[in-house]
Amino acid sequence: MPANRKVVFDVGNVLLRWDPFHLYRDLIPNDEKRSWFLQNVCTSAWNLEQDRGRPWTEAVATLIAAHPEWEAEIKAFDERWHETVPGTIEDSVAVLADLKAKGEQVYAITNFSREKWAECLIRFPFLQSFDGVIVSAHERLLKPDPAIYNVLLERYGLSAGECIFVDDSARNIEAARSVGMQAVHFVEPIDLKAELRGLGANL
C-alpha cells in the first residue's frame, strides 16, 4: 500500500453541514410551499451555477425577473446564506485536525461559490489549514467532472493513487475513482477515522 496517503476532503456535508431547509423552514413555514419553492425557484441547478462561478448578484437578479412574487425569499438565499450552514460536522473536523497534527498533507475539492467560500474562510478558520484547495467557482469546473480532480493532482504534484477522496455524493466518489483515487462515501453514521485508516491514512 502506498505510503503517505493524502486525504482530500469535500467541504459541504462532510466538514460543514449545509441544507437550505435550515433557512427556509422559518421563511416558508408551509411544507408544501417550501418544497415547491426549492424545487422550482431556488433549485439545486440554479445554486450550482454559483458554484460554477456565476456571481450571486447576477443569479439573484435573473431569478427575481422570472419569479418576482418570490423576491424576498430569493434574496434571502444570498443575504442569509449562512443560515443554510448551521455549523460543522465535528467528527470530520477532528479527523482533519488529527491529520494536520501528525504532519500529514490534507487537501480539498469543493463545489462552492467564490463569494461564500471567502466568507466561510473567515467564519470557519480551520478551512485555511489545507495544503491545497480546489474551489469550483475559481476553476469554473464542477464535480463530478474528472477535470477538477486532475486540477488538484497537477497543481499540487500529487498522484491519484496516493489520494483518498471523501465526499457525500456517490457521483463525486465515482468520478474520483475514475481518475485513480481511492474514496470514502461519507454517509452518516460513519467512522471516518476508521475508514481512512483502513485505506492507509496515518490516523
Side-chain angles (χ1 to χ4, degrees), residues 56-106:
W56 272 95
T57 52
E58 178 185 329
V60 169
T62 299
L63 212 53
I64 290 172
H67 302 279
E69 71 279 14
W70 291 103
E71 179 175 358
E73 291 82 2
I74 292 167
K75 285 182 175 179
F77 206 117
D78 175 26
E79 295 170 357
R80 297 173 59 180
W81 181 88
H82 283 277
E83 292 177 50
T84 71
V85 182
T88 63
I89 299 176
E90 293 182 1
D91 288 350
S92 299
V93 175
V95 169
L96 171 61
D98 285 350
L99 288 164
K100 291 296 295 183
K102 292 185 176 183
E104 296 299 316
Q105 293 178 333
V106 291

Side-chain angles (χ1 to χ4, degrees), residues 4 38 42 56 87 92 94 100 104 116 118 121 134 138-139 142 145 158 164 167 169 181 198:
N4 301 318
L38 292 172
C42 286
W56 272 95
S92 299
K100 291 296 295 183
E104 296 299 316
K116 305 312 181 193
L121 288 177
I134 303 300
H138 297 170
E139 312 299 331
L142 291 166
D145 185 341
L158 304 173
I164 309 170
D167 200 293
S169 161
M181 295 180 176

